[in-house]
Amino acid sequence: MDNRVYIFDTTLRDGEQSPGATMNLHEKLRLAEQLEKLGVDCIEAGFPASSQGDFDSVKAIAEKVKTCQVAGLARCMEQDITRTWEAIKNANHPRIHTFLATSPIHMQYKLRKEPQEVLAMIEKGVKLARSLCPVVEFSAEDASRSDKDFLVQVATTAINAGATVINLPDTVGYAIPSDYAKLIEYMIKNCPVSDKAIFSVHCHDDLGLSVSNTLAALGAGARQAEVTLCGIGERAGNTALEEVVMALNVRRDLFHLETNIVKEQLFPSCRLLSMIIGKPIPANKAVIGGNAFAHESGIHQDGMLKNRETYEIMTPQSIGRTSSDIVIGKHSGRNAVRTRLEELGYHLNDDQVNAVFLAMKTLADKKARIHDEDLEALVFSEVYRMRIPDRFHLSNVAVQTSMGSSMPATAAVVLQDREKEVRLAGFGTGPIDAAFNVISQLCGTKAELEKFSINAITGGTDAQGEVSVHLRDGEYTATGRGSDLDIIVASAKAYIDALNRLEHKEKDVISYKQNPTE
């Protein structure tokens, strides 16, 4: 059996369905560029038939990505399939990914179809997809709760109709590793044309078993893993790409399986996603968390000093958490900054390096040492956030509170509203609440704050704070991010960023022809 495992990344489609993980077109293109650098075999760019915005995003990614496949998701219906083909037809390596539910509960209550009707729909849909696209994947939605003998008919029908990849997803995170492995084995053994297709798995984490189920399936003969960076996705999330890849790498003695992933790009990829969606990587997150290579116990520290392998089964460098002898600070030059950025995987033009360099100088006046995470935050704020011109810009914010007093906090804010400077002072129950109240009045918004989170970018008392806010204004939602040494300023930046994003959404401004690195 072939020992090659194909990595199908659905961060931009299923991952984006995670609450609060919405990305704009500019951000999707940047992440797609990084996924290509990471070495994934296929990028599922979105669901073109779901909206015009998704169609435009998939089309732009299909035209941008050169080396890996680009897939668009489609229900097993003619209008979805033709719409998807329109979005991906200009890709160097296009793939149509079509799906239909196959479990009794889905067929009865969602589709209201009999099994034979479902088989007929699969045959018709896959034939149409294959007539348009050379690579077609069919997914049997809710396969883990489907009758296995019916699944054999489903896979046989899809393969005979032209599908070259058969996905057997654990759509609702119901599977247990041992049973899921048996299902994969049964399918490969009993489908008479199983040798004509790659069997794939897509697992959700509702019971915390998505990675375990994926590894069990790969051990049983599946050869494609459908995953997302950091495991983001609907409900409890998807299978984490970095965990599967490193499990196969560390335990190659057990699996004897290989991927095409550039492992040193794992941490940079996950960190980029974290900055884009405004969700910090949990410290205890496997493989990439801040504590993954931290040792506090004296016994562990002693073992590490004698031999790192006593308490580390992989190195920080193996996933891209490199250390550097170059210390970036206020005396550093542009070349030092450029070199460190390139070591971190950011290849910027002269203007972009200069923007980061000037921002670094300003930051270095406030803290002694600039960490890698600080540089990455500056790249994100000074380079990758230069998208559609924002309406609002923060000029200044000042707050005042009285310790031990019943007096409310006060905030004074100065904003640029396009060409006009506006300023106002007001009150709140605390300094951040006061700043948000004043900003909302200046901007004339009634958006509601749904979520607010603060994360330290690095350790130390001089660490930059990274703030994420999630706003809702009627049917529109947006997540804003901001970072600064002053947490009040970071919060104000994040709030204004979210308001600008709401403004863009309401105007439905999209232009995929923009250069994503400008």
Side-chain angles (χ1 to χ4, degrees):
M1 184 176 292
D2 186 6
N3 70 342
R4 172 81 151 83
V5 172
Y6 297 90
I7 299 298
F8 177 105
D9 184 275
T10 185
T11 304
L12 295 172
R13 198 277 301 171
D14 201 338
E16 200 202 13
Q17 293 172 204
S18 175
T22 302
M23 296 172 249
N24 63 33
L25 178 61
H26 175 88
E27 292 163 341
K28 287 183 178 181
L29 283 167
R30 173 68 185 104
L31 193 56
E33 181 181 58
Q34 179 61 33
L35 289 170
E36 189 172 24
K37 186 183 298 183
L38 178 62
V40 303
D41 297 288
C42 184
I43 297 172
E44 186 168 50
F47 192 168
S50 64
S51 70
Q52 183 62 41
D54 232 34
F55 177 90
D56 290 338
S57 295
V58 175
K59 186 174 188 294
I61 292 167
E63 293 171 354
K64 176 73 174 178
V65 170
K66 302 303 180 187
T67 59
C68 55
Q69 289 187 357
V70 175
L73 185 68
R75 291 168 297 184
C76 206
M77 301 165 58
E78 181 178 352
Q79 61 266 37
D80 273 31
I81 292 168
T82 54
R83 182 69 168 161
T84 295
W85 176 243
E86 283 298 310
I88 66 169
K89 65 182 181 181
N90 293 328
N92 282 0
H93 310 285
R95 177 190 295 200
I96 292 177
H97 180 195
T98 186
F99 71 96
L100 193 63
T102 58
S103 66
I105 191 170
H106 276 239
M107 289 190 290
Q108 180 179 352
Y109 293 103
K110 188 176 78 170
L111 300 181
R112 301 186 185 279
K113 301 285 185 183
E114 294 296 322
Q116 291 305 313
E117 293 178 283
V118 169
L119 290 174
M121 289 178 67
I122 293 170
E123 181 177 25
K124 180 180 178 181
V126 173
K127 279 185 175 179
L128 172 61
R130 187 56 188 270
S131 71
L132 300 170
C133 186
V135 180
V136 176
E137 174 175 345
F138 176 77
S139 284
E141 186 185 7
D142 205 21
S144 58
R145 294 193 296 174
S146 299
D147 177 81
K148 60 184 180 181
D149 290 319
F150 180 62
L151 273 182
V152 169
Q153 296 182 59
V154 166
T156 303
T157 299
I159 294 170
N160 286 336
T164 53
V165 181
I166 299 296
N167 184 33
L168 303 172
D170 183 26
T171 304
V172 294
Y174 178 78
I176 301 297
S178 56
D179 286 342
Y180 198 47
K182 289 177 182 176
L183 174 63
I184 302 302
E185 289 175 346
Y186 186 89
M187 291 295 298
I188 294 173
K189 179 180 179 180
N190 289 279
C191 175
V193 286
S194 62
D195 60 320
K196 296 182 180 179
I198 293 170
F199 280 78
S200 175
V201 288
H202 176 129
C203 300
H204 280 262
D205 209 35
D206 298 71
L207 294 177
L209 295 171
S210 60
V211 173
S212 297
N213 282 326
T214 298
L215 293 173
L218 294 176
R223 285 297 177 265
Q224 178 175 279
E226 306 200 359
V227 293
T228 62
L229 294 173
C230 300
I232 68 166
E234 289 196 86
R235 304 186 310 280
N238 286 279
T239 304
L241 181 155
E242 65 279 1
E243 295 179 28
V244 170
V245 168
M246 291 311 292
L248 294 178
N249 181 67
V250 172
R251 295 309 311 272
R252 61 166 61 91
D253 62 311
L254 178 65
F255 289 101
H256 305 290
L257 297 174
E258 301 290 340
T259 71
N260 197 42
I261 295 296
V262 181
K263 295 180 288 296
E264 291 78 11
Q265 290 295 327
L266 286 171
F267 181 73
S269 300
C270 292
R271 175 62 181 157
L272 176 62
L273 173 68
S274 172
M275 290 191 292
I276 286 176
I277 65 174
K279 292 187 177 183
I281 298 171
N284 65 336
K285 171 71 174 65
V287 180
I288 58 167
N291 290 348
F293 299 97
H295 305 273
E296 186 170 334
S297 163
I299 294 174
H300 287 215
Q301 290 172 346
D302 180 65
M304 286 291 295
L305 290 171
K306 292 172 180 175
N307 188 324
R308 294 186 68 93
E309 292 184 8
T310 55
Y311 287 102
E312 283 188 358
I313 58 174
M314 52 190 161
T315 67
Q317 291 79 9
S318 69
I319 63 162
R321 297 192 71 148
T322 57
S323 58
S324 174
D325 293 328
I326 299 177
V327 177
I328 300 298
K330 66 179 181 179
H331 299 298
S332 299
R334 284 180 177 79
N335 285 338
V337 172
R338 182 193 297 274
T339 298
R340 190 69 195 118
L341 288 171
E342 289 178 352
E343 289 173 350
L344 292 170
Y346 299 98
H347 299 277
L348 309 180
N349 61 38
D350 290 342
D351 290 339
Q352 293 166 342
V353 170
N354 193 53
V356 175
F357 174 73
L358 293 176
M360 182 277 294
K361 285 289 189 180
T362 300
L363 181 60
D365 285 335
K366 301 175 183 178
K367 61 181 300 187
R369 178 172 179 174
I370 306 299
H371 297 270
D372 289 347
E373 292 84 355
D374 292 319
L375 278 179
E376 289 182 313
L378 293 177
V379 170
F380 188 72
S381 63
E382 302 300 322
V383 178
Y384 296 133
R385 293 279 284 283
M386 292 180 183
R387 52 185 194 283
I388 304 163
D390 289 333
R391 175 180 173 183
F392 304 109
H393 294 273
L394 178 68
S395 297
N396 206 348
V397 58
V399 298
Q400 183 176 354
T401 59
S402 300
M403 295 295 291
S405 170
S406 60
M407 288 290 292
T410 61
V413 179
V414 181
L415 288 182
Q416 281 295 130
D417 182 351
R418 296 192 176 94
E419 302 301 321
K420 181 175 65 173
E421 183 180 89
V422 292
R423 53 182 67 198
L424 186 69
F427 302 98
T429 56
I432 292 176
D433 182 57
F436 284 4
N437 287 342
V438 174
I439 292 170
S440 64
Q441 291 179 59
L442 283 172
C443 298
T445 180
K446 295 182 179 179
E448 297 179 1
L449 177 64
E450 292 192 328
K451 291 180 183 178
F452 174 85
S453 64
I454 302 174
N455 179 55
I457 293 179
T458 62
T461 57
D462 64 349
Q464 286 196 89
E466 193 172 52
V467 175
S468 172
V469 300
H470 189 74
L471 300 182
R472 176 176 292 279
D473 188 1
E475 63 179 300
Y476 300 105
T477 63
T479 299
R481 277 82 66 178
S483 60
D484 197 89
L485 286 172
D486 187 322
I487 202 63
I488 307 299
V489 176
S491 300
K493 287 179 177 179
Y495 194 81
I496 291 169
D497 183 45
L499 290 176
N500 282 320
R501 289 167 179 268
L502 283 173
E503 174 101 352
H504 298 324
K505 284 190 175 184
E506 289 166 0
K507 291 183 176 180
D508 194 26
V509 179
I510 268 190
S511 176
Y512 66 82
K513 294 182 180 179
Q514 289 181 328
N515 186 333
T517 60
E518 291 185 350

